[in-house]
Amino acid sequence: MLPFSSFEFFIIMALFIGIIAVCKYFFAIRKYKFVLSFFNALFLIAIYPQPCHFFILIIFSYIITYLISEVFRIRKKIWGILILLLPMLLVKLDIRFNFYPFEMNNILSFAGLSYASFRIMGYYMDKAPDEEMTDFISYFNFLSFTPTLLIGPIDKFRRFKTSQDTGFINITTENFIIGWNAMVKGIVFKFIFAEVVDRYWMNIFPSTGKEILYMANNMYSYYFYLFFDFAGYSLMALGIGKMMGMNVPVNFTNPFIAVNPQDFWRRFHISLGEWLKDYFFTPLYLYLTRKKNLKKYPMTRQNIALLMTFLLMGCWNGFKLNYILSGLLFGIFSAIHSTYVFQCKKRGKDIFFGGINPKAIKVISIFIMFNIVAFALYIFSGRCPFLN
């Protein structure tokens, strides 16, 4: 049973929430992480498919991080990153090799591997060279927190641990109501709105049809379906987390009204956007800044970093043409927008929309963004007949 995949999952979560709330009155505040780890481990062992795979990854990543940072004290983060991401890279590249009697790829591949790998890398990147390793219980909870296990949001360790350390304190009537409302909204998004779009809109025309009407229908319907499905998951994770005493980050805030690519990624899959910015875009941009031949070309540096960042995002989903192209499209959109903003600042005026009413500019911007995002996600979906 995967998280949020069945009615039984919600029953299990209700039991977990109830028992954790009762534990608040019998255990000290500092014991919350042990109570949480018990339920996370129980869900993995008793219910989650392939639990051993997840445990192996957690132990492997903890030991590797400890060896790299505490024993060998390797300063260049790139070596640790490559080793820690190796399991995910082997699966994404579909590289298979055997250690009799096991097929290694079967050991590495399991639901939630990508999100766990991003959390692992985030912890390693944030860890200062002289900082001691966190305790294993907190690390285990960070990677295996049941509501965010499968599809995020991608939390940061320090934020997660702060929430964990005050877990029992956060279990209040007010937070329960906030969590309940978020969960109900998520259920409506995922199991009603997304289901209606899937049944009565997205599939009324064949996805293989090359007629403009068919492709337009698939493009726009998929955008709405993906939003309601993904935002529904995120809201349910946020709601259940809140009721358990954990603060899960918000992942979606009205992406349909985004006015530019930067604004879009502040609204759509926010945790992934923040992760890519903090751990890839910013380090890459700083690296390019140190290159002598690029010092005079700030826009070139920024656009190269943008294209590489979004290309990475596409490859993270898989090394397939539709994923790579969609990531590249988002990178191109962002590079065009950043160049446009730079030129407007340089000339001291809006080079395209100067003199137009600001409200009209906002409407035009929303219209453009809505359509280019829908197109990029249509490519991402693999439903475009020209890519098959």
Side-chain angles (χ1 to χ4, degrees):
M1 182 195 303
L2 294 174
F4 308 108
S5 63
S6 66
F7 178 75
E8 288 77 12
F9 173 79
F10 291 94
I11 298 297
I12 292 168
M13 288 297 99
L15 291 173
F16 283 7
I17 291 167
I19 296 172
I20 290 174
V22 172
C23 289
K24 173 183 179 179
Y25 299 99
F26 295 94
F27 294 98
I29 292 173
R30 65 180 182 277
K31 299 295 184 181
Y32 177 86
K33 67 179 181 181
F34 296 103
V35 175
L36 185 63
S37 67
F38 171 78
F39 287 109
N40 287 334
L42 180 62
F43 181 82
L44 283 176
I45 294 169
I47 300 167
Y48 198 73
Q50 301 172 310
C52 291
H53 301 49
F54 216 122
F55 281 112
I56 290 171
L57 179 69
I58 293 171
I59 295 169
F60 164 80
S61 62
Y62 189 82
I63 292 173
I64 291 297
T65 303
Y66 175 77
L67 290 174
I68 291 172
S69 59
E70 300 287 321
V71 179
F72 299 109
R73 297 189 179 277
I74 299 173
R75 298 292 178 175
K76 289 189 176 181
K77 293 278 188 179
I78 185 63
W79 300 113
I81 291 169
L82 290 174
I83 296 171
L84 291 170
L85 290 183
L86 185 60
M88 185 181 75
L89 290 174
L90 291 172
V91 171
K92 296 292 184 181
L93 293 169
D94 198 26
I95 297 174
R96 296 175 179 271
F97 50 91
N98 298 328
F99 287 111
Y100 185 81
F102 303 107
E103 184 179 348
M104 197 63 177
N105 214 60
N106 287 339
I107 297 176
L108 297 174
S109 182
F110 60 90
L113 171 62
S114 294
Y115 281 92
S117 298
F118 269 38
R119 293 188 191 101
I120 288 167
M121 184 174 161
Y123 172 76
Y124 173 70
M125 290 288 287
D126 284 340
K127 184 181 179 298
D130 299 323
E131 181 184 358
E132 290 186 3
M133 283 286 293
T134 188
D135 63 284
F136 182 76
I137 296 298
S138 295
Y139 186 81
F140 171 77
N141 285 335
F142 176 57
L143 296 185
S144 65
F145 184 52
T146 302
T148 61
L149 189 63
L150 184 62
I151 202 165
I154 307 169
D155 207 349
K156 291 187 175 183
F157 178 76
R158 287 189 177 91
R159 181 167 55 191
F160 179 88
K161 191 172 186 304
T162 298
S163 182
Q164 175 191 261
D165 291 345
T166 57
F168 280 141
I169 297 173
N170 295 332
I171 298 176
T172 63
T173 302
E174 181 182 0
N175 281 338
F176 182 88
I177 293 172
I178 293 172
W180 175 264
N181 289 336
M183 187 187 71
V184 170
K185 186 177 179 181
I187 289 172
V188 172
F189 273 28
K190 163 66 181 169
F191 297 107
I192 298 180
F193 291 169
E195 191 68 20
V196 168
V197 171
D198 183 33
R199 290 190 184 187
Y200 303 109
W201 182 8
M202 191 161 65
N203 292 308
I204 60 174
F205 295 126
S207 61
T208 55
K210 295 182 179 180
E211 292 83 353
I212 293 296
L213 178 62
Y214 290 4
M215 290 192 294
N217 178 80
N218 275 295
M219 183 174 78
Y220 293 118
S221 61
Y222 181 78
Y223 186 8
F224 280 95
Y225 169 78
L226 180 65
F227 168 73
F228 287 123
D229 184 73
F230 201 176
Y233 274 117
S234 296
L235 282 166
M236 288 187 288
L238 187 153
I240 290 177
K242 199 77 171 176
M243 288 187 280
M244 293 175 70
M246 297 293 294
N247 294 315
V248 175
V250 174
N251 216 21
F252 290 86
T253 55
N254 302 320
F256 297 125
I257 62 171
V259 294
N260 57 57
Q262 188 178 26
D263 186 34
F264 175 76
W265 290 106
R266 291 196 194 105
R267 298 172 176 274
F268 186 92
H269 207 341
I270 300 168
S271 63
L272 176 61
E274 290 179 348
W275 192 97
L276 289 169
K277 177 185 175 183
D278 292 343
Y279 303 122
F280 193 81
F281 173 81
T282 300
L284 178 58
Y285 180 76
L286 293 174
Y287 170 78
L288 294 173
T289 300
R290 292 192 291 269
K291 296 294 180 181
K292 291 182 179 180
N293 56 338
L294 290 175
K295 280 188 176 294
K296 296 180 180 179
Y297 306 101
M299 284 311 306
T300 301
R301 298 197 305 266
Q302 182 169 314
N303 288 339
I304 290 173
L306 283 170
L307 287 170
M308 293 299 294
T309 298
F310 284 103
L311 191 59
L312 171 68
M313 184 188 72
C315 293
W316 171 60
N317 290 291
F319 292 95
K320 294 184 179 180
L321 182 60
N322 57 308
Y323 297 142
I324 295 171
L325 280 179
S326 65
L328 192 59
L329 280 172
F330 277 118
I332 291 170
F333 298 154
S334 296
I336 291 172
H337 174 257
S338 66
T339 303
Y340 168 71
V341 171
F342 177 79
Q343 290 298 327
C344 289
K345 289 180 179 179
K346 185 177 179 180
R347 301 184 187 187
K349 63 177 182 178
D350 193 318
I351 58 179
F352 287 133
F353 301 107
I356 300 178
N357 185 289
K359 291 184 179 179
I361 293 175
K362 183 176 181 179
V363 171
I364 294 169
S365 299
I366 291 173
F367 176 79
I368 293 172
M369 271 307 301
F370 178 83
N371 282 277
I372 64 174
V373 167
F375 177 70
L377 291 177
Y378 179 48
I379 299 299
F380 169 85
S381 71
R383 296 171 67 87
C384 180
F386 296 105
L387 295 179
N388 298 324

